[in-house]
């Protein structure tokens, strides 16, 4: 039942902070229904969803309805539930531990509710809170961890939205973590006699690298680390390095795992390519170390970065090595973890959306498309000793999209070589500067016009070059235009590429 909204101020003192409600509308409990007879009245899809939950909780389910829908029929065929094929009668509720009314007939629902209430059997009537003696929450299921969210019937949509938020915060493998830790409870009790010592130990384990090992599927390593932590004097002292892909710029493109690790970091070592909005999501108190890396002007040489990561982890810190895009695509991520592996420092790699994927999506250029391109190749186009040394024959293939990273300086050579190896001078190309961000610029041209386009339009790093027939689709598919007031899908912000 909904309560009247309380006045903002206390009627007695006139102060509003006195008016914190001291009562709850419901008592939240988790009911053990394993093997208990439970009755569901109704045979449709709504009933099927309730049956699903009851079966997950291992209840013995009887469904009462003249006819069953496809989902429940299947369960009956599989001998998973029992079916009573007739209309509801008062005495049907007898012996049930829990009753749920899920018919689309309000009168029947009412009969079920009053029959159950008369016998003090807990009853839930779907979508009719006033008939319920209990309500069912929105659920985040990380069994054995269960998180229930309820607005007490005030706003089920709000409860569902909250649930969605929590879903994103709580790793899917939380259940596995709980199960693993259950196996250590006795050992931890023996190891730490004081309850505050014990709590401190658990907090460290559950928020630290051991938990992260479970989340990334390394259960065996977690078990070993746990045993080690129990043996060592001050509990778990191991640091860990997380090589995290920060994506191309838009913070919305981070993975859940990247965000979680960023919010737990003690130190973050980041590159020039990491956007300020992404960096902003790192835990406020984390130390921030800029590792630079402009192609000419290396702030820290690569070896320096590798050693820095080792040193920080040895100090027991949780280090996030945050890189633009994906760490394993032109990110030198491999070199950084090679040093960690040599030195026996635990690490994990979190993929990010690479510039090619991010820029192509936000520019409206499918990297492959039937009839346009069957393959796509990612190429590092930077100059080395004044030239771009690549296997041009393999790159300049028909029906292949070519994505050049770091290609601005070598643009003259790139265009010349591609034409020399058989691509038409009219082959469409796109330049995408600061893709996926509010400053994104997309320019299109052809292999013949690209070098001039780069000079006259003053494009700057980071810019991605896409070469291929798929660029023709851009004028039709461009949807992201940060400057446009009406961001209508399919309205092209840029001039279409000239047809071949
Ligand atoms: N590891 C990164 C790439 C690093 S190489 C990744 O997976 O994306 C650096 C090059 O990536 C830049 O020179 C540029 O060509 C490209 N790049 C990275 N972010 C970009 C962005 N937001 N827009 C356009 N190009 C980008």
């Amino acid at each position: 039942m909904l309560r009247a909204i309380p006045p903002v101020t206390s009627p007695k003192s006139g102060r509003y902070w006195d008016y914190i409600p001291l009562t709850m509308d419901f008592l939240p409990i988790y009911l053990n229904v394993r093997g208990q007879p439970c009755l569901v009245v109704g045979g449709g899809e709504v009933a099927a969803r309730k049956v699903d939950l009851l079966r997950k909780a291992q209840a013995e389910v009887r469904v009462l309805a003249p006819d069953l829908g496809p989902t429940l029929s299947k369960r009956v065929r599989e001998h998973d539930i029992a079916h009573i094929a007739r209309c509801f009668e008062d005495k049907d509720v007898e012996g049930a531990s829990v009753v749920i009314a899920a018919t689309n007939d309000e009168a029947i629902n009412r009969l079920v509710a009053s029959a159950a209430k008369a016998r003090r059997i807990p009853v839930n009537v779907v979508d009719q809170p006033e008939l319920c003696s209990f309500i069912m929450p929105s659920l985040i299921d990380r069994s054995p961890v269960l998180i229930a969210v309820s607005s007490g019937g005030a706003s089920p949509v709000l409860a569902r939205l909250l649930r969605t938020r929590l879903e994103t915060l709580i790793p899917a493998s939380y259940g596995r973590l709980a199960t693993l830790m259950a196996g250590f409870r006795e050992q931890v009790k023996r190891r730490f006699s004081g309850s505050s010592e014990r709590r401190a130990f658990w907090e460290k384990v559950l928020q630290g690298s051991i938990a992260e090992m479970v989340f990334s599927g390394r259960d065996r390593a977690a078990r070993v680390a746990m045993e080690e932590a129990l043996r060592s004097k001050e509990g778990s002292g191991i640091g860990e390095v997380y090589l995290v892909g920060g994506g191309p710029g838009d913070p919305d493109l981070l993975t859940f795992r990247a965000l979680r690790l960023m919010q737990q970091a003690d130190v973050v070592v980041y590159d020039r390519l990491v956007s300020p909005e992404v960096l902003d999501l790192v835990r406020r108190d984390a130390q921030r170390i800029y590792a630079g890396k402009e192609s000419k002007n290396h702030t820290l040489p690569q070896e320096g970065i590798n050693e820095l990561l080792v040193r920080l982890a040895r100090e027991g810190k949780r280090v996030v090595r945050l890189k633009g895009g994906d760490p394993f695509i032109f990110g030198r991520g491999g070199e950084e973890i090679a040093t960690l592996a040599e030195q026996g420092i635990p690490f994990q790699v979190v993929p990010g959306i690479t510039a090619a994927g991010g820029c192509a999506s936000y520019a409206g250029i499918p990297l492959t498309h039937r009839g346009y391109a069957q393959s796509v190749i990612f190429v590092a186009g930077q100059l080395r000793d004044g030239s771009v040394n690549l296997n041009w024959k393999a790159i300049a293939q028909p029906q292949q999209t070519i994505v050049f990273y770091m290609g601005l300086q070598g643009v003259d050579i790139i265009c010349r070589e591609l034409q020399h190896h058989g691509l038409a001078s009219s082959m469409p190309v796109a330049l995408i500067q600061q893709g996926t961000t509010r400053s994104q610029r997309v320019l299109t041209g052809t292999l013949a016009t690209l070098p001039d386009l780069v000079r006259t339009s003053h494009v700057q790093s980071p810019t991605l070059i896409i070469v291929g027939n798929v660029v023709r689709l851009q004028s039709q598919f461009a949807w992201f235009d940060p400057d446009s007031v009406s961001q209508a899908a399919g309205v092209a912000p840029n001039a279409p590429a000239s047809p071949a």
Side-chain angles (χ1 to χ4, degrees), residues 228-241:
E228 222 162 75
L230 278 167
R231 271 198 304 273
S232 79
K233 267 216 152 52
E234 72 291 359
S236 167
I238 335 157
E240 193 170 22
V241 177

Side-chain angles (χ1 to χ4, degrees), residues 276-289:
E277 291 82 358
V278 169
L279 196 61
D280 223 34
L281 293 172
V282 174
R283 193 168 71 93
R284 288 259 164 266
D285 299 332
Q287 184 192 352
R288 286 163 164 71
I289 301 177

Side-chain angles (χ1 to χ4, degrees), residues 248-249 272-273 324-327 329-331 353-356 359 404-407 432-437 461-464:
R272 180 184 59 100
L273 267 181
D326 183 279
I329 295 180
F330 308 128
I353 291 185
T354 190
C359 294
F404 286 99
Y405 288 68
M406 302 171 281
I432 303 149
Q433 179 181 320
Q434 281 182 278
T436 79
T437 72
S461 180
T463 292
L464 201 76

Side-chain angles (χ1 to χ4, degrees), residues 19-181:
Y19 209 81
I20 295 165
L22 295 172
T23 58
M24 300 188 294
D25 287 340
F26 293 91
L27 174 72
I29 56 171
Y30 290 84
L31 209 59
N32 181 353
V33 290
R34 188 179 305 170
Q36 299 289 314
C38 295
L39 177 72
V40 176
V41 184
E45 289 310 298
V46 179
R49 281 201 291 277
K50 299 295 175 190
V51 169
D52 191 38
L53 271 175
L54 287 170
R55 286 299 297 138
K56 265 193 184 158
Q58 302 164 68
E60 192 193 298
V61 177
R62 282 177 287 158
V63 173
L64 192 147
D67 306 296
L68 295 184
T71 314
L72 287 176
S73 299
K74 183 159 173 278
R75 277 197 191 268
V76 172
R77 275 200 309 278
E78 290 166 355
H79 305 290
D80 185 47
I81 56 172
H83 179 205
I84 308 161
R86 56 172 170 76
C87 295
F88 175 76
E89 289 165 27
D90 205 69
K91 64 174 185 4
D92 287 328
V93 299
E94 270 162 22
S97 295
V98 163
V99 172
I100 295 179
T103 76
N104 52 10
D105 185 327
E106 211 185 305
I108 296 178
N109 287 346
R110 216 170 268 282
L111 274 180
V112 176
S114 60
K117 280 178 185 164
R119 292 161 178 88
R120 300 199 181 282
I121 301 170
V123 61
N124 176 271
V125 182
V126 175
D127 285 338
Q128 282 176 276
E130 70 283 3
L131 296 182
C132 293
S133 68
F134 75 93
I135 56 171
M136 293 174 90
S138 259
L139 209 58
I140 298 129
D141 184 0
R142 303 284 188 269
S143 286
V145 178
L146 284 173
I147 301 163
V149 180
S150 167
S151 66
S155 174
V157 175
L158 188 69
R160 248 189 334 262
L161 288 178
L162 249 175
R163 187 199 121 190
T164 314
R165 278 211 192 171
L166 291 170
E167 286 277 5
T168 63
L169 279 179
I170 299 161
S173 37
Y174 237 71
R176 270 190 13 249
L177 177 66
T179 309
L180 182 77
M181 292 310 156

Side-chain angles (χ1 to χ4, degrees), residues 6 32 64 88 117 128 150 184 189 195 218 226 234 236 243 249 254 262 280 308 310 329 335 378 385 407 444 459 464:
N32 181 353
L64 192 147
F88 175 76
K117 280 178 185 164
Q128 282 176 276
S150 167
F184 280 101
K189 244 188 224 164
S195 68
R218 294 171 296 156
M226 191 66 189
E234 72 291 359
S236 167
L243 182 60
L254 285 170
M262 284 159 65
D280 223 34
L308 174 71
V310 171
I329 295 180
E335 292 165 54
F378 296 173
D385 310 320
T444 53
V459 282
L464 201 76

Side-chain angles (χ1 to χ4, degrees), residues 191-204:
R191 169 77 175 71
F192 303 100
S193 48
S195 68
S196 61
E197 233 187 326
R198 206 153 54 219
R199 182 161 14 94
F201 176 82
W202 277 123
E203 279 176 3
K204 203 161 176 185

